[in-house]
Amino acid sequence: MQLNNYIGGSWQSTEGADYTAVINPANGEQLAEVRLSTKEDVDLAVQAAKKAQKKWVLVPAPKRADFLYEIGRVMKERKEHLAQVLTKEMGKVIEEARGEVQEGIDMAFYMAGEGRRLFGETVPSELQDKFAMSVRAPIGVVGLITPWNFPVAIATWKSFPAIVAGNTFIWKPATETPMMAYEMALIFDEVGLPSGVANIVFGSGSEVGTAMIEHPDVRVISFTGSTETGRHVAELGGRHLKKVSLEMGGKNAVIVMEDADIDLAVEGILWSAFGTAGQRCTACSRVIVHKDVKKELEQKLVEAMEGLTIGDGLDESVKVGPIINQQALEKVQSYIRIGTEEGAKLLAGGRLLTEGALAKGHYVEPTLFTDVKWDSRLAQEEIFGPVVSLIEVADLDEAIDVNNSVKYGLSSSIFSRDINKAFRAQRDLDTGIVYVNAGTTGAEIHLPFGGTKGTGNGHRDSGVAALDVFTEWKSIYVDYSGKLQRAQIDTD
């Protein structure tokens, strides 16, 4: 199976194209070949999107929303098929894959509802016989760059608000996970989304991503990925005066206070740290634990980790799937070595799994370190794998300071039965998302998603806030006085 670009409502010719393999990380099986596109391919997509946008912007927003309702309906009908494809190409366990597809379905229906809102403002004018209001205006052609770890959810966070707001888009999915983009193109086609509204160009970030950012007719870039790459996107986009929305890395912490429900905290930590094999920007990578309950938490975590089954995510009994590829696996290995070299104590895991049914995949045991120093590399740098560091603290103030010590600011969590501690934590934790008595992951689509510091640049995915990325504010004044009235001057 060859995956080719979807441009202007049709599949692009294969003549002269280069391809790379799409590999199932669970067993090394080749699933497909995906096109490695060029700058010229991007230009074709932009031209198609630019042509389509002139007509799409004139479609009333409630009618644009009708296409999202249809997309959501078809996704719901195909939920199990989409989940199976997702698990094969990305590796996450099937239960999580179903949840991710559901997130896309939810986003379709949620953003479709915005087609009858897209609220602006009406305000009183300071002058007589004058009307003042603001409205959201579409921007034009937008570029979407999405990662491999959530190949459909994040794409819907970006594409659906762009669609309902009246934009057209070019989507560059990750080369590791192009099959979900192919499936979504089939759905766009089936529901009759007008040609050129949605365009998919496969290929590398250095070639396709750069061409999108540099193209003069692409007005917005929405990027999710690593902080290092996001910084480059921001620099390049800034030179071209693009609006750039960035959602990047995280080094998320679960705080466990002395009055916490320890069993509940263990459940939250396991789900946050080892779901998606730790390959989430919201994954729990640090556990900041009060000294009075450190030993109990360690013991219960180790016991719970022993019950985690590892393997192919299509097996319903498996709880932890593979790492996406060999390069990522080697990065996780390197941080396990770093933790040992820094003097942290390895409590559980740490080994590669290379025997039997796991031999052809990319697997590492869920790993737990304790006695980790708050300022060590293990506790400061994003690993993007199933590796957790336990850091001991004496009180809530120290816990908050340790949480805020990293360069990232995506998600944080506190387990406590004390409402005063919970509210102090909500106020003082420097992250875009705060959980109380839950893990660090599992965001709902109707609230903003994103973070502070090295995690983002002030924009948000999901919720109404996502519309801010894909719209411009236009202020409109209607003076029906029949004479020239000058604001701030003719007010007396």
Side-chain angles (χ1 to χ4, degrees), residues 256 262 266 289-303 345 347 368 370-371 390-392:
V256 182
I262 301 300
V266 168
V289 57
H290 192 281
K291 58 184 177 60
D292 290 351
V293 294
K294 176 174 178 282
K295 291 300 182 184
E296 180 184 2
L297 182 66
E298 287 175 349
Q299 179 183 346
K300 289 188 173 183
L301 270 176
V302 171
E303 291 174 356
K345 181 181 178 182
L347 282 183
L368 178 65
T370 192
D371 300 333
L390 262 66
I391 304 168
E392 180 183 316

Side-chain angles (χ1 to χ4, degrees), residues 149 225-228 248-252 278-283 285 331 335 377-385 406-408 410 454-455:
N149 61 334
S226 72
T227 299
E228 180 182 3
M248 302 177 288
K251 189 68 176 177
N252 314 289
Q279 299 170 112
R280 299 171 175 148
C281 54
T282 55
S285 185
K331 179 183 177 183
Y335 275 100
R377 290 185 63 189
L378 195 65
Q380 291 286 316
E381 299 177 10
E382 186 175 40
I383 300 171
F384 227 65
V406 296
K407 65 181 179 181
Y408 304 101
L410 180 51
T455 292

Side-chain angles (χ1 to χ4, degrees), residues 67 81 103 157 160 205 250 324 358 418 432 472 475 478:
F67 288 99
H81 168 72
E103 191 167 354
W157 293 359
F160 292 173
I324 186 66
L358 306 184
D418 187 331
E472 297 280 12
S475 296
V478 181

Side-chain angles (χ1 to χ4, degrees), residues 475-486:
S475 296
I476 300 171
Y477 301 96
V478 181
D479 192 319
Y480 53 95
S481 67
K483 60 183 179 181
L484 175 65
Q485 296 192 97
R486 299 169 297 174

Side-chain angles (χ1 to χ4, degrees), residues 152-225:
V152 67
I154 292 176
T156 64
W157 293 359
K158 300 176 187 298
S159 62
F160 292 173
I163 285 172
V164 79
N167 304 284
T168 57
F169 65 87
I170 320 298
W171 171 19
K172 191 206 87 65
T175 306
E176 294 88 349
T177 53
M179 295 175 68
M180 291 307 297
Y182 169 77
E183 294 288 339
M184 290 304 297
L186 293 178
I187 294 173
F188 295 152
D189 207 45
E190 180 175 328
V191 304
L193 191 68
S195 300
V197 172
N199 303 274
I200 299 172
V201 180
F202 298 110
S204 69
S206 58
E207 183 75 18
V208 174
T210 298
M212 286 169 57
I213 299 168
E214 292 182 336
H215 201 291
D217 291 325
V218 177
R219 301 278 302 280
V220 174
I221 295 292
S222 181
F223 167 86
T224 297

Side-chain angles (χ1 to χ4, degrees), residues 318-473:
V318 166
K319 297 301 181 185
V320 181
I323 302 298
I324 186 66
N325 55 35
Q326 183 63 33
Q327 182 181 5
L329 186 66
E330 291 172 359
K331 179 183 177 183
V332 174
Q333 280 185 279
S334 72
Y335 275 100
I336 293 172
R337 289 194 297 270
I338 287 168
T340 302
E341 292 166 0
E342 289 181 330
K345 181 181 178 182
L346 182 63
L347 282 183
R351 296 184 303 116
L352 293 183
L353 301 174
T354 59
E355 297 180 358
L358 306 184
K360 295 182 179 180
H362 308 296
Y363 296 95
V364 63
E365 287 181 322
T367 302
L368 178 65
F369 283 96
T370 192
D371 300 333
V372 178
K373 296 179 180 178
W374 69 268
D375 58 351
S376 64
R377 290 185 63 189
L378 195 65
Q380 291 286 316
E381 299 177 10
E382 186 175 40
I383 300 171
F384 227 65
V387 180
V388 178
S389 302
L390 262 66
I391 304 168
E392 180 183 316
V393 294
D395 54 32
L396 179 60
D397 288 336
E398 185 181 1
I400 291 171
D401 287 343
V402 170
N403 179 88
N404 295 347
S405 69
V406 296
K407 65 181 179 181
Y408 304 101
L410 180 51
S411 184
S412 57
S413 161
I414 181 169
F415 283 84
S416 173
R417 292 185 174 96
D418 187 331
I419 192 171
N420 295 325
K421 290 176 182 174
F423 270 86
R424 283 181 57 200
Q426 292 177 53
R427 181 193 65 194
D428 296 339
L429 292 170
D430 189 5
T431 55
I433 303 168
V434 177
Y435 293 88
V436 177
N437 293 325
T440 57
T441 187
E444 299 183 32
I445 57 91
H446 46 289
L447 285 179
F449 182 94
T452 63
K453 300 187 289 188
T455 292
N457 64 339
H459 295 289
R460 293 291 186 269
D461 289 322
S462 291
V464 175
L467 294 168
D468 292 335
V469 176
F470 301 108
T471 56
E472 297 280 12
W473 284 108

